[in-house]
Amino acid sequence: MEIARAAAGLFVRHGLRATRAEDIAQAAGIAPRTFYRYFATKEEAVAPLYAAGAQRWVAAVRAAPADAGVLQALEEGVRHTLTPGGGVSASSWEWVRTLLRLAEANPSLRRVWAEVCQDSERLLGEVLVERVTRVGTAGGSARALGDDNVAPALEAGVGVPRSGARASEAGAGVPRSGARASETGAGVPGSGAPAPEAGGAMPRPGAPTPRPGATVPEPRFAAAVASAAVRAALEGWAEGDGPVEGPGSPAELALRNLAALRDFPWGP
């Protein structure tokens, strides 16, 4: 992660164009040949920082209470990960803003950001399979996500992140199945929820209940919807001068986007 931090510091202070891979290597205290052992380009050097934040959110969604609905788990992850102090300090959020602005302005860095987002989206799809299957089984629900969809989703799900793999070799310490943080999200009161079958656990109060006849989406699609809501919030925040906390902050914008998806059939 030291290489990633060195690269980010130089990008923030001097800009992407004025920073060379050799400058990053010198700032990190390594030889240029060592830098190129782990990263093909200078832009890839910040991938571990992008990935660390993205994966903290996924880890938080996974760590949310077992009986929480998908939307609640996503909201908890947003609050934990995007609130200063949960995973990133308030001062570090200005670095995040600059790095996201640089990604928007530079095609090479934008590609690194997009690849990290895609990798974490795949990981989130696996987490959603785990969550809806667990909640559905506990509540006696019939075939959460559809039994026929679970195996294909897992098979198509998580690959080793391309940039993250190099980062981990370089000491980035980006865990493949861990990462984003969790929060306590406000639930969506469900109406007319069916009683659990004998021996089933009571649904968590406020857990959304799919509408009768609603089709629970394939997990990769659900993960893409949730990821887009959070990514759009981050990128929109970075474009302006909004605060890091309170109204207009990354967490508030992401929660607002997720709130607009309350009717999405996430699952049990």
Side-chain angles (χ1 to χ4, degrees), residues 67-116:
D67 58 348
V70 171
L71 182 58
Q72 291 172 304
L74 294 171
E75 290 174 332
E76 290 182 5
V78 162
R79 289 192 183 90
H80 181 88
T81 309
L82 302 187
T83 299
V88 180
S89 67
S91 60
S92 294
W93 271 105
E94 293 305 323
W95 279 40
V96 173
R97 194 197 305 268
T98 300
L99 289 174
L100 290 176
R101 285 178 174 176
L102 288 173
E104 179 63 26
N106 182 275
S108 297
L109 193 57
R110 190 185 316 139
R111 182 167 56 251
V112 173
W113 168 242
E115 288 176 354
V116 168

Side-chain angles (χ1 to χ4, degrees), residues 89-161:
S89 67
S91 60
S92 294
W93 271 105
E94 293 305 323
W95 279 40
V96 173
R97 194 197 305 268
T98 300
L99 289 174
L100 290 176
R101 285 178 174 176
L102 288 173
E104 179 63 26
N106 182 275
S108 297
L109 193 57
R110 190 185 316 139
R111 182 167 56 251
V112 173
W113 168 242
E115 288 176 354
V116 168
C117 291
Q118 186 177 48
D119 290 334
S120 66
E121 181 181 303
R122 288 176 178 150
L123 182 57
L124 181 62
E126 178 182 313
V127 171
L128 296 188
V129 170
E130 296 171 357
R131 176 159 297 277
V132 297
T133 303
R134 181 171 61 246
V135 173
T137 301
S141 173
R143 303 176 62 175
L145 267 188
D147 292 341
D148 295 338
N149 290 335
V150 173
L154 289 173
E155 293 171 1
V158 182
V160 177

Side-chain angles (χ1 to χ4, degrees), residues 12-23:
V12 169
R13 288 191 296 271
H14 306 300
L16 189 63
R17 182 173 298 181
T19 301
R20 304 172 303 159
E22 289 77 11
D23 298 327

Side-chain angles (χ1 to χ4, degrees), residues 232-247:
L234 280 169
E235 293 172 349
W237 169 79
E239 289 175 359
D241 298 313
V244 297
E245 294 185 87

